Amino acid sequence: MKNNLHLIRKPLRLSCLWIPTGNLKRPLACVWVEAGAPRAGSAASADSEAGGLCLCA
């Protein structure tokens, strides 16, 4: 008898969080975070920006 184990993970929804780098050639860097994770340093939520659209630099 052969047992097959299939691990099914729920896909994560990611969003890009732009952080300043201090580098003049590349002033911003994208850090991918889980969409449901709380964002430190974010004053406004995505719902208040442009009618629910996320803005990118």
Side-chain angles (χ1 to χ4, degrees):
M1 181 180 206
K2 188 174 181 179
N3 292 334
N4 290 331
L5 178 63
H6 298 282
L7 298 176
I8 300 172
R9 293 180 56 192
K10 184 178 178 182
L12 296 176
R13 185 172 179 171
L14 299 175
S15 68
C16 178
L17 179 65
W18 292 98
I19 58 168
T21 63
N23 185 352
L24 293 177
K25 291 185 179 182
R26 183 174 259 176
L28 296 174
C30 177
V31 177
W32 292 98
V33 294
E34 186 178 350
R39 295 181 184 180
S42 176
S45 68
D47 293 334
S48 65
E49 295 178 359
L53 298 175
C54 295
L55 303 177
C56 295

